[in-house]
Amino acid sequence: MVAAVSCGLDRMAVRMHEPIEGTAPKPRPGRKTPYERTPPPPAELNWRMAFVGTVTIYDDRGEALRTTRYAANADADRGAFAERVVADVCRLVKRFPGIAVGCIQDGAKDLAVLPETLGTRLPANTPRYNSVDLLHLLSYLHRVVDTCEPGDPHNTKRWYHDELLRDDDAIDRIFVNLRRQAKKVPRSNPEGRSALAKALSGMCLLRDQECIHAPDR
């Protein structure tokens, strides 16, 4: 029996074999002579951040029954990609009324399109949960410590970890503290200012969501 469904998006590095600009071959007319292999046009290998996604259904014991995987090129329209995933989630909700829907992913801005699309496409009475991978959130916070508190003299990294797991309101307190800290970081510390800006930007997306402790992918 299907009891729940989870979904999520991410980006992953994919090595692409791409023609060098201006060297792509022109279309050839129909062949009139025997085929002779010619060297391929010059190309280069580039890493692109392609989109990936999953939809997993679970039974009433929490065991995964089936996972559907999705992928799209790095330059794909992320809204259209999210629609593909959400369309399958909506079909499951229609087939199994009352199942809970979870969205589990990191807090990157370009992934926020999935929970936003779920919010507009799912029936209003659908039990829905948004969760954020705690390790991704902590990576932002650890960068702040490394650039603003070298050596972590106050064991702030551990405090972030313990507070986020212990108290649902911790993220709000941390957000306020980071804003206060950002006002004190001198311009002579551009790395610290950048780390704080990224942490604050990411946390703006997460403050209304639940943090979970998920393993590295």
Side-chain angles (χ1 to χ4, degrees), residues 10 20 35 37 45 61 95 101 122 139 141 148 156 162 169 173 196 206 210:
D10 206 345
I20 297 175
Y35 171 75
R37 186 180 184 280
L45 296 176
R61 296 177 300 174
R95 183 178 177 185
V101 176
L122 288 174
S139 68
L141 298 174
C148 299
T156 307
D162 292 345
D169 294 329
R173 296 198 305 275
L196 279 160
L206 313 183
E210 175 189 359

Side-chain angles (χ1 to χ4, degrees), residues 29 92 133:
L92 289 167
D133 184 344

Side-chain angles (χ1 to χ4, degrees), residues 71-128:
N73 290 337
D75 58 354
D77 182 293
R78 62 174 177 261
F81 185 56
E83 286 284 352
R84 285 174 53 195
V85 176
V86 173
D88 284 347
V89 173
C90 288
R91 279 191 283 270
L92 289 167
V93 170
K94 184 177 181 179
R95 183 178 177 185
F96 305 101
I99 63 172
V101 176
C103 179
I104 305 172
Q105 55 187 25
D106 69 56
K109 284 185 177 181
D110 55 353
L111 304 183
V113 64
L114 182 59
E116 292 170 358
T117 305
L118 287 169
T120 60
R121 292 285 307 279
L122 288 174
N125 61 344
T126 303
R128 187 165 68 91

Side-chain angles (χ1 to χ4, degrees), residues 28-86:
R28 293 182 295 179
R31 187 165 56 241
K32 297 180 180 179
T33 58
Y35 171 75
E36 292 185 11
R37 186 180 184 280
T38 57
E44 57 187 4
L45 296 176
N46 294 311
W47 290 92
R48 305 296 183 195
M49 295 300 291
F51 284 100
V52 293
T54 59
V55 171
T56 301
I57 55 176
Y58 304 87
D59 62 19
D60 54 3
R61 296 177 300 174
E63 298 291 337
L65 300 174
R66 186 188 71 201
T67 296
T68 303
R69 294 176 173 82
Y70 308 78
N73 290 337
D75 58 354
D77 182 293
R78 62 174 177 261
F81 185 56
E83 286 284 352
R84 285 174 53 195
V85 176
V86 173

Side-chain angles (χ1 to χ4, degrees), residues 15 17-18 50 120 139 203:
R15 192 170 68 167
H17 189 269
E18 301 174 337
T120 60
S139 68
M203 293 184 74

